[in-house]
Amino acid sequence: MQTETVPIDEPTPDPANARKHGERNLSSIIDSLKAFGQQKPIVVDKRGIVVAGNGTLEAAKRLGWTEIAIVRSELEPTQATAFGIADNRTAELAEWDDEVLRSLLDSMDDEMMDVLAFDSKEIDALVVPDFQPVSEDEQSKLDESKAIICPECGHVFKE
Amino acid sequence: MSSRNDLRLDWCSSQAATYACRRWHYSGCMPRFKTSKVGVWEDGDFIGCLVFTNPMPPVVKKFKLNGTQITELARVALTDHRTPVSRIIAIATKMIYKANPGLVVLVSYADSGQGHHGGIYQASGFGYYGRNEGGRELLWNGRFVHPRTIVSAISTGKIRKEDAWSLPSRPTGGKHCYAKIIGCLDGYRIPCKTEPFPKRVRSETSDTPGDQSGEGGATPTRTLHP
């Protein structure tokens, strides 16, 4: 199986795609493409119709990409359609391990959290982490302004 | 009923504060500037935090102080809790003052656009110093949001710039300003006239009912068991 990079308009979105890509889904894919780039190719059948990755294609277009990575399936169109359904359905049947997921989410910085497509209520459904008190030293001093010295002229700025 | 042993206020990490603000505060985010964060634990469970910061220059100017003499209680991000918020604010304020003895005034705002009128500040001994004019908010994905959210959404590709221009907008209700003196500065008095407290009413500009949960950024205190 070989990955090709083709002009963005070459693959044809599946007109009979059974998966609906709402705005939230597309926004999430856009965030993911922006953060990570395209990490797996979309799959097109022999006719050039997308059987897996219609959402990715739409998101890439919205981002103004001019090219996209694809793999061409050797499956016959009917089989390719069945693959498209199975590809989505098998992912749908997987479940999260909440404990592991929570631990992974806790390790993410703010920027990464924004591209993970979990909203606050979904994260809330996971157990609240066992946050412990920390030292006062970790807090900013609100009654002091920090002096910042310009490395060029030595001028002292107050924060 | 909550006993003193159930409640613990202590300093909390940025990670804990970010977690609390994301989930339990309507803004969904931490203030951008330097912060001091007081965590709240009940029965050993983390239930949220209060975030203090230095306010923006117009606020400092309004109170005729310098930026290191005034602090803003910028977030009250609590999930379900038994302890009255006023008590939590009182303890947190003492902690903040003890750690920052140069502070003179504590200020906080209640967002009328969120249906908040500042009941928790009224119960905490703050004076009321009027409502600012507010700006406009935009309807996006079924919710009215701050223009900053739209700017951020444009930058992340969630909305196209040309579409953002045509979003419906409405004026926000402005924010109620509350303040109290927490420190000592010879001869200092808050240089603004106090006004009568606003009442809990349905917001003129918000779909949010005045008696919504989340008043002041915290869910209301549950009924105490007899």
Side-chain angles (χ1 to χ4, degrees):
Chain A
M1 193 175 294
Q2 203 169 353
T3 303
E4 299 171 42
T5 302
V6 299
I8 193 84
D9 292 327
E10 189 181 302
T12 307
D14 184 357
N17 185 20
R19 290 293 271 182
K20 293 178 181 172
H21 297 282
E23 277 306 308
R24 184 185 171 199
N25 177 238
L26 280 173
S27 292
S28 304
I29 301 172
I30 287 170
D31 287 346
S32 171
L33 290 179
K34 281 169 69 92
F36 312 118
Q38 187 185 3
Q39 293 296 310
K40 63 179 184 184
I42 63 176
V43 183
V44 300
D45 69 12
K46 286 178 175 176
R47 301 164 298 176
I49 292 175
V50 179
V51 292
N54 279 286
T56 303
L57 179 62
E58 172 64 21
K61 283 180 178 174
R62 287 200 192 184
L63 282 170
W65 288 13
T66 55
E67 294 180 324
I68 193 143
I70 65 163
V71 290
R72 293 183 196 280
S73 167
E74 293 301 317
L75 296 172
E76 292 303 321
T78 312
Q79 286 179 303
T81 301
F83 163 72
I85 294 170
D87 183 52
N88 281 298
R89 182 59 179 153
T90 49
E92 200 174 65
L93 291 174
E95 289 177 359
W96 291 104
D97 180 323
D98 286 353
E99 279 297 309
V100 175
L101 176 62
R102 194 200 77 192
S103 153
L104 291 172
L105 293 178
D106 287 348
S107 68
M108 301 285 168
D109 60 28
D110 280 5
E111 216 169 292
M112 275 300 141
M113 284 295 291
D114 290 340
V115 300
L116 296 179
F118 280 92
D119 68 23
S120 57
K121 282 185 182 165
E122 290 162 341
I123 295 171
D124 230 5
L126 306 171
V127 183
V128 178
D130 183 23
F131 292 117
Q132 292 298 316
V134 298
S135 156
E136 185 183 324
D137 299 339
E138 290 191 28
Q139 312 303 320
S140 297
K141 285 292 283 177
L142 299 173
D143 63 346
E144 289 176 7
S145 56
K146 200 165 81 182
I148 299 166
I149 301 166
C150 172
E152 295 295 323
C153 67
H155 182 79
V156 179
F157 296 90
K158 287 282 187 181
E159 190 182 46
Chain B
M1 186 169 176
S2 115
S3 75
R4 288 181 185 277
N5 292 335
D6 295 332
L7 177 71
R8 178 176 183 185
L9 269 72
D10 207 332
W11 305 110
C12 75
S13 64
S14 294
Q15 189 192 17
T18 302
Y19 182 96
C21 289
R22 275 221 186 101
R23 286 151 192 81
W24 304 321
H25 191 267
Y26 70 85
S27 72
C29 64
M30 280 279 282
R32 287 176 183 270
F33 306 105
K34 65 180 184 179
T35 55
S36 205
K37 303 152 302 273
V38 178
V40 186
W41 287 261
E42 274 183 347
D43 302 325
D45 295 330
F46 178 74
I47 60 157
C49 73
L50 280 66
V51 182
F52 296 79
T53 185
N54 287 126
M56 300 297 283
V59 181
V60 177
K61 195 175 167 189
K62 175 176 180 173
F63 287 90
K64 294 193 167 76
L65 291 167
N66 67 49
T68 57
Q69 292 174 312
I70 181 165
T71 186
E72 179 179 338
L73 173 52
R75 302 283 187 274
V76 179
L78 299 171
T79 185
D80 291 344
H81 52 89
R82 291 191 307 270
T83 313
V85 185
S86 55
R87 184 170 165 221
I88 292 172
I89 290 175
I91 299 169
T93 302
K94 280 181 190 167
M95 286 175 64
I96 287 293
Y97 179 64
K98 193 176 172 191
N100 303 273
L103 292 173
V104 179
V105 164
L106 169 62
V107 63
S108 197
Y109 291 87
D111 190 343
S112 67
Q114 296 292 324
H116 298 167
H117 71 295
I120 58 174
Y121 306 118
Q122 295 175 14
S124 300
F126 284 69
Y128 177 60
Y129 296 94
R131 186 166 81 171
N132 64 21
E133 288 178 2
R136 294 194 76 78
E137 55 188 1
L138 302 158
L139 181 61
W140 183 52
N141 284 346
R143 290 185 63 194
F144 279 98
V145 297
H146 193 280
R148 275 197 302 263
T149 306
I150 300 299
V151 171
S152 169
I154 291 170
S155 68
T156 55
K158 289 178 180 168
I159 184 172
R160 293 183 307 176
K161 204 172 187 176
E162 50 270 36
D163 293 335
W165 292 121
S166 57
L167 290 174
S169 70
R170 68 180 182 185
T172 62
K175 290 185 176 182
H176 297 292
C177 175
Y178 289 88
K180 71 191 290 191
I181 292 181
I182 59 169
C184 302
L185 183 66
D186 282 347
Y188 179 80
R189 298 178 75 172
I190 291 178
C192 322
K193 199 176 165 190
T194 54
E195 298 180 22
F197 286 141
K199 291 179 180 168
R200 174 179 290 201
V201 290
R202 184 182 170 84
S203 166
E204 294 160 24
T205 56
S206 171
D207 297 331
T208 315
D211 60 350
Q212 65 156 351
S213 72
E215 166 65 34
T219 41
T221 310
R222 288 196 216 110
T223 307
L224 299 177
H225 298 297

